[in-house]
Amino acid sequence: MATYAAPVRDTCFVVNELLDIGRLGDLPGFAELTPELVATLATEAGRFTAEVIAPLNAPGDRAGCTRHADGTVTTPAGFREAYAAFREAGWGALSLPTAFGGQGLPQVLGFVVEEYLCSANQAFAMYPGLTNGAINALLASASPELQRIYLPKLVPGEWTATMNLTEPHCGTDLGLIRTRAVPQADGSHAITGTKIFISAGEHDLADNIVHLVLAKTPDAPAGSKGISLFVVPKFLPDGDGNPGARNAVSCGSLEHKMGIHGNATCVMNYDGATGWLVGEENRGLAAMFVMMNAARLGVGIQGLGQAEVAYQNGAAYARERRQGRALTGAADPGEAADLLVVQPDVRRMLMEAKAFTEGMRALALWVGLQVDLAEKAADEAARTAANDIVGLLTPVIKGYGTDKGFDTAVAMQQVWGGHGYIVENGMEQFVRDARIAMIYEGANGVQAMDLVGRKLAANGGRGIQAFFAMVDGECAGVTDELASIAGRVAKANGELKAATMWFMQNALAHPDNAGAGASAYLHMTGIVALGLMWLRMAKVAQAALAAGSGETAFYEAKLITARFFAERMTPQAGALRRQIEAGADSTMALPAEAFGVG
Amino acid sequence: MATYAAPVRDTCFVVNELLDIGRLGDLPGFAELTPELVATLATEAGRFTAEVIAPLNAPGDRAGCTRHADGTVTTPAGFREAYAAFREAGWGALSLPTAFGGQGLPQVLGFVVEEYLCSANQAFAMYPGLTNGAINALLASASPELQRIYLPKLVPGEWTATMNLTEPHCGTDLGLIRTRAVPQADGSHAITGTKIFISAGEHDLADNIVHLVLAKTPDAPAGSKGISLFVVPKFLPDGDGNPGARNAVSCGSLEHKMGIHGNATCVMNYDGATGWLVGEENRGLAAMFVMMNAARLGVGIQGLGQAEVAYQNGAAYARERRQGRALTGAADPGEAADLLVVQPDVRRMLMEAKAFTEGMRALALWVGLQVDLAEKAADEAARTAANDIVGLLTPVIKGYGTDKGFDTAVAMQQVWGGHGYIVENGMEQFVRDARIAMIYEGANGVQAMDLVGRKLAANGGRGIQAFFAMVDGECAGVTDELASIAGRVAKANGELKAATMWFMQNALAHPDNAGAGASAYLHMTGIVALGLMWLRMAKVAQAALAAGSGETAFYEAKLITARFFAERMTPQAGALRRQIEAGADSTMALPAEAFGVG
């Protein structure tokens, strides 16, 4: 059966040594964050997620959620108690504002807890995860009055939240939504329509559920410029801010899904439900994008989380299962067979998983720190630079992180051979659960277009140019034993620059050239970003060894894994560049009818 | 809901135009195979699989198989009637010997039916698929007496068969098996042991089930040189060859699996069951390899089959779902949104799927023809050359075919967005079912080692050298509009030659260098083999258009898809070569303990 232990040492390596957040003590929320406190927080979060949340993962998958005749929904056994414990411990409010009951710690620590939670139980993690996104949206756009009513309940997790975008006929294309919001005399709106795929739409974990709903007012302009955002609580808050009268919103049914069975994916029916406008009328998409961007980073972390737990279990199996002999002669002649871990092809899969998860952890936490810096850095230039990185890399963390997270889960299932296909062993659940992250919060093709069509061009290309310069700067002048790593990362960066140039020359007049290469470009960016992280981590490890650290094995593993990433995972950038430079011609040449049955 | 229609036109293109089997009329079984007869057979097989078998796919997934208290197993509703219809129509016996009730047609036609069956319902297809493998093993190794008893029942599908290799502690490493075979006075053996993951081990489709079982005789040498093969029927045949007394073999339990729920995956208990030796004592692995090789080609075809049905449904959705606008401006200004198929990233996924499935179909059927030629070609050189191709490409068809088949199913699920994650739409079942094909009949890492460690070196490299020459010959002298396709295929072939040379120079002394690059090499070989097929198909299409064929759209689509494959899918070969040439150092450098929780 699958198990989980939080990678606390590696988290501390990233937070304390790579990001060195101790140097940021002047910023709000960073003051008390000594390496020791970071280690304590990670240890405690790791213990909680491993001991309380992870054991519910497989049973939750088997049991799923249950909708009752009255429209209420019960989560799998144990979820309710675990959520209460989670809320009480305050894990969800770690990096939320103290003004509303949060602990005001940096976002980067919130990401640490999110990763652990996603590894332990992705279906469970989605309940607080969506709440977190809604809090961000309300903080950014809601009136002080709405904030006063909702945030003190949402921040401590007493209530949870959802995001309601998709309708049966539209997901990606939100301009097509049909849910109506009719103004009422009291300033509220009456919301009517059907939303689908609403994660955590109805459940038994919290006293109230706050739906953030996209809808159109009667005279709204057509398309995406006529969408407004509303807050629609399951129970209308009474004068004391407690759940009062039942609102006209209900769960019509639960979806049957490939995975994340422990999360209630609901069809939500709004039947003249009372809602309040968040932000300005017709500016709902912009307000919702705050939630979506937070959610996209969160989903990228789901990819990391599933990859990590799958990797742990793939590695454990490879270290205990005996099968065959090492190619170089028996490794354990006294045993009937050697351990799987001596097989180079098994090693290849483990090393790819290790290089991805550790690299992705560094990238996610580094970008988490940029979220903090974008808000809190002392000077404006630093805030802008941090914000550029967050904007540029959000689709990469979401798209590359979940594509590779899924691939990693599949590869780790492969290590288990036939036993990986058996439900009871847990590996196949990681694959099924990881699969959704490539789809929701904007399918990965949408992320790729966001990167290529929007983020590259933003502010005259300022973000991507800064990123190129950052990578080149990191690679420049490395002449010691890390030179070959730096050389390969610089080469991948060169491929990415060339692909960017190709887009500039070929995609402005022919946008299909951007579309046909977008997914390849997103993956190239992911490779270069992880290369940047690996080079930095190698430098930190090298310095630690030079300084005489006693943790020789840990730091040497970092150096070897950095080399593996550089040698075996950066070459892909070249192939992706050649795909991009082939252009859209052969991709787009066929008439639609050609995609019929041959 | 997912649907299926057999790609009859494309099958006929491959069999009649690309392979041109009409030219082989002198060979046994080929005489009457006019293009018209091939078309009729494909049409009828397509109709049968689409109308009778495919409708049972989703219900079979949901219902699964049921084991009763007495150890009997019931297949999902409808399977029994469908199997009876399949048997009566003779689809399973198409390319089996007439001497035992088969129709004696070429293997290439058997592969056509197998593909359709796998697309329609992989779980169902496995029942006759395993029988087919066992027939091959018995034909190759069993005594005339055993053949006389079993083949007349197995060939028409009256009885089915299984292959029993895996035990709880060993799958890949068969030298470790513990099942015992004790000689009895009457010449039979008493078989005792436990086998797991036995597909179709127990069911209600046939009157008898014939288990081919690997076991060790009392004085057998240790390891894989001491394994013998036995035939162990569920019911002992009586004097008339009909099922008689119940043998001491039973299904202990059914496995709970990620997919292929309609196939009964059994733990089989042998409790002194009566078995008869197939072939020579201690030569069981060689005898079983005949079955395994047939099964490996069959599993590669499963990869193709799942990719094809997933592609059909992905393409259909892209052609009916409206979402967003074309990047080049509204394609259907009169509609609220354009069809998904205008989006370049959706196109990319569809084109990759189309290029893989059509290329893989050509490859599988071409190798199917080599199976025929290896047996039936008039001169020995031709038989040898054909046999070399079959040996070389069997691991490629299995490994590359199922890796890419799975990737294709995942990509086509992606086209459906959130709806692809919903059980009722059927796309996620294709992913779950396709997943097993990468694992069973030798996990794909084992296929890669078979290719690199065994097939490359076989007969002094005769097979791979002939393959290189064949590809170069096909590419040479192409100076017309196909020149860029030929150039890119030749380039990929050059990468493959370079990787081969690298292995020769670096892997003999350091076999881990072969192991660490094996999977990449298998994929490179797949790319070059599909490139060879696409270049040949492009030439056939070009000639047909030049000859004034009225099917302009069909042949032009072949030319465009060939170009897409060359431009967008061959560049991967270069990245894989660079991975191989990085060697095993960084892959193998870490101690096993480094794969613990960080």
Side-chain angles (χ1 to χ4, degrees), chain A residues 329-361:
Chain A
D332 295 328
E335 301 279 353
D338 290 337
L339 295 168
L340 278 185
V341 74
V342 305
Q343 298 296 331
D345 189 63
V346 172
R347 275 294 178 111
R348 171 188 65 80
M349 293 190 277
L350 294 179
M351 286 299 297
E352 287 177 357
K354 185 176 173 68
F356 168 69
T357 52
E358 294 180 14
M360 191 70 205
R361 177 173 301 117

Side-chain angles (χ1 to χ4, degrees), chain A residues 171 256 324 413 424 435 568, chain B residues 173 256 323 413 424 435 516:
Chain A
H256 307 111
Q413 180 188 25
E424 285 81 354
R435 183 67 186 87
R568 309 271 309 195
Chain B
D173 189 352
H256 305 112
Q323 205 75 185
Q413 180 188 25
E424 286 80 352
R435 183 66 185 89

Side-chain angles (χ1 to χ4, degrees), chain A residues 92-105 107 132 135-136 139 151-152 155-156 375-376:
Chain A
L94 212 60
S95 34
L96 293 174
T98 51
F100 298 106
Q103 302 184 42
L105 290 171
Q107 184 61 52
N132 197 54
I135 290 166
N136 279 298
L139 280 168
L151 290 177
V155 167
E375 189 194 334
K376 300 175 176 173

Side-chain angles (χ1 to χ4, degrees), chain A residues 5-10 167-173 176 196-197 255-260 308 311-312 315-316 319 321-325 327-328 336-337 341-345 347-348 350-352 354 406 410-411 413-414 417-424 428 431-433 435-436 438-439 443-445 449 488 491 495 511-512 515-517 519 556-557 560-561 563-564 567-568 570-572 574-575 578-580 582-598, chain B residues 5-10 167-173 176 196-197 255-260 308 311-312 315-316 319 321-325 327-328 336-337 341-345 347-348 350-352 354 406 410-411 413-414 417-424 428 431-433 435-436 438-439 443-445 449 488 491 495 511-512 515-517 519 556-557 560-561 563-564 567-568 570-572 574-575 578-580 582-598:
Chain A
V8 173
R9 176 65 191 93
D10 202 52
E167 299 182 5
H169 63 291
C170 69
T172 300
D173 189 351
L176 303 176
I196 64 168
F197 300 160
E255 302 284 3
H256 307 111
K257 310 182 300 289
M258 184 184 196
I260 50 166
E308 169 67 28
Y311 164 67
Q312 289 185 13
R319 291 174 60 195
R321 173 83 170 176
R322 293 191 177 276
Q323 205 75 184
R325 286 296 184 193
L327 302 182
T328 46
V341 74
V342 305
Q343 298 296 331
D345 189 63
R347 275 294 178 111
R348 171 188 65 80
L350 294 179
M351 286 299 297
E352 287 177 357
K354 185 176 173 68
F406 176 74
V410 170
Q413 180 188 25
Q414 189 75 13
H419 298 275
Y421 202 67
I422 303 299
V423 170
E424 285 81 354
E428 61 91 39
V431 173
R432 288 185 292 103
D433 287 355
R435 183 67 186 87
I436 188 60
M438 298 157 73
I439 299 173
N444 285 356
M449 281 309 297
R488 286 167 190 265
K491 181 173 163 66
E495 311 275 18
D512 281 347
S519 177
E556 282 178 351
I560 288 168
T561 311
R563 188 151 67 83
F564 178 88
E567 291 175 355
R568 309 271 309 195
T570 63
Q572 184 63 19
R578 286 180 61 202
Q579 285 171 19
I580 290 169
D585 281 359
S586 61
T587 307
M588 303 303 290
L590 287 178
E593 307 78 62
F595 298 100
V597 176
Chain B
V8 172
R9 177 66 190 93
D10 202 52
E167 299 182 5
H169 63 290
C170 70
T172 299
D173 189 352
L176 303 177
I196 65 169
F197 300 160
E255 303 284 3
H256 305 112
K257 310 182 301 288
M258 182 184 198
I260 51 166
E308 169 67 27
Y311 164 67
Q312 289 185 13
R319 292 174 60 195
R321 173 82 169 175
R322 292 190 177 277
Q323 205 75 185
R325 286 295 183 192
L327 302 183
T328 47
V341 74
V342 306
Q343 298 296 331
D345 190 62
R347 274 297 177 110
R348 170 187 67 79
L350 294 179
M351 286 300 297
E352 286 176 358
K354 185 176 173 67
F406 176 74
V410 170
Q413 180 188 25
Q414 190 74 12
H419 298 275
Y421 203 65
I422 303 299
V423 170
E424 286 80 352
E428 60 91 41
V431 173
R432 289 185 290 104
D433 287 356
R435 183 66 185 89
I436 188 59
M438 298 156 73
I439 299 173
N444 285 357
M449 281 309 297
R488 286 166 190 265
K491 181 173 164 67
E495 310 276 17
D512 281 347
S519 178
E556 282 178 351
I560 288 167
T561 311
R563 188 152 68 83
F564 178 89
E567 290 176 355
R568 309 271 309 195
T570 63
Q572 184 63 20
R578 286 181 60 202
Q579 285 172 18
I580 290 168
D585 281 359
S586 60
T587 307
M588 303 302 291
L590 287 179
E593 306 79 64
F595 298 100
V597 176

Side-chain angles (χ1 to χ4, degrees), chain B residues 89-430:
Chain B
W91 290 120
L94 213 60
S95 33
L96 293 174
T98 50
F100 298 106
Q103 299 183 42
L105 289 170
Q107 184 61 51
V108 62
L109 291 179
F111 278 16
V112 168
V113 178
E114 253 180 272
E115 182 208 318
Y116 294 179
L117 209 53
C118 288
S119 284
N121 192 327
Q122 182 173 324
F124 181 92
M126 290 168 67
Y127 293 101
L130 282 157
T131 306
N132 197 52
I135 290 167
N136 280 297
L138 293 175
L139 280 169
S141 303
S143 66
E145 171 73 2
L146 286 178
Q147 290 188 349
R148 189 187 57 74
I149 296 172
Y150 289 97
L151 290 177
K153 299 292 190 180
L154 289 170
V155 167
E158 202 173 317
W159 298 356
T160 67
T162 72
M163 64 195 287
N164 287 240
L165 292 78
T166 306
E167 299 182 5
H169 63 290
C170 70
T172 299
D173 189 352
L174 294 168
L176 303 177
I177 66 169
R178 293 174 189 153
T179 297
R180 313 296 297 177
V182 179
Q184 305 296 297
D186 66 353
S188 70
H189 284 70
I191 314 288
T192 302
T194 299
K195 296 286 183 177
I196 65 169
F197 300 160
I198 307 308
S199 300
E202 177 62 39
H203 57 77
D204 57 353
L205 302 183
D207 296 339
N208 203 358
I209 301 173
V210 180
H211 304 289
L212 292 197
V213 183
L214 292 183
K216 307 196 80 154
T217 51
D219 304 319
S224 60
K225 292 197 173 69
I227 299 174
S228 301
L229 178 63
F230 298 87
V231 57
V232 186
K234 176 180 172 185
F235 293 103
L236 300 168
D238 66 17
D240 300 324
N242 294 316
R246 186 73 168 80
N247 203 354
V249 47
S250 62
C251 166
S253 63
L254 292 182
E255 303 284 3
H256 305 112
K257 310 182 301 288
M258 182 184 198
I260 51 166
H261 295 161
N263 199 277
T265 306
C266 303
V267 173
M268 297 301 297
N269 296 320
Y270 294 85
D271 190 18
T274 302
W276 287 272
L277 187 66
V278 176
E280 289 175 48
E281 197 170 332
N282 297 330
R283 296 294 302 276
L285 218 47
M288 189 60 116
F289 248 104
V290 173
M291 178 164 188
M292 274 195 274
N293 277 330
R296 284 172 177 185
L297 290 171
V299 171
I301 291 171
Q302 290 177 359
L304 166 61
Q306 290 297 301
E308 169 67 27
V309 68
Y311 164 67
Q312 289 185 13
N313 287 281
Y317 191 77
R319 292 174 60 195
E320 74 186 29
R321 173 82 169 175
R322 292 190 177 277
Q323 205 75 185
R325 286 295 183 192
L327 302 183
T328 47
D332 296 327
E335 301 279 352
D338 291 337
L339 295 168
L340 279 185
V341 74
V342 306
Q343 298 296 331
D345 190 62
V346 172
R347 274 297 177 110
R348 170 187 67 79
M349 292 190 276
L350 294 179
M351 286 300 297
E352 286 176 358
K354 185 176 173 67
F356 168 69
T357 52
E358 295 180 14
M360 192 68 205
R361 178 173 300 117
L363 182 65
L365 296 182
W366 176 59
V367 171
L369 181 61
Q370 305 311 307
V371 172
D372 290 312
L373 294 177
E375 189 193 335
K376 299 175 177 173
D379 68 296
E380 197 187 328
R383 289 196 298 274
T384 301
N387 198 50
D388 283 352
I389 289 291
V390 174
L392 182 73
L393 294 184
T394 293
V396 177
I397 286 180
K398 198 285 183 180
Y400 180 76
T402 61
D403 276 356
K404 295 290 292 181
F406 176 74
D407 288 349
T408 303
V410 170
M412 295 301 96
Q413 180 188 25
Q414 190 74 12
V415 170
W416 279 62
H419 298 275
Y421 203 65
I422 303 299
V423 170
E424 286 80 352
N425 291 325
M427 300 304 291
E428 60 91 41
Q429 186 190 344
F430 300 142

Side-chain angles (χ1 to χ4, degrees), chain A residues 255-278:
Chain A
E255 302 284 3
H256 307 111
K257 310 182 300 289
M258 184 184 196
I260 50 166
H261 295 162
N263 200 276
T265 307
C266 303
V267 173
M268 296 302 297
N269 296 319
Y270 293 84
D271 190 17
T274 302
W276 287 273
L277 187 66
V278 176

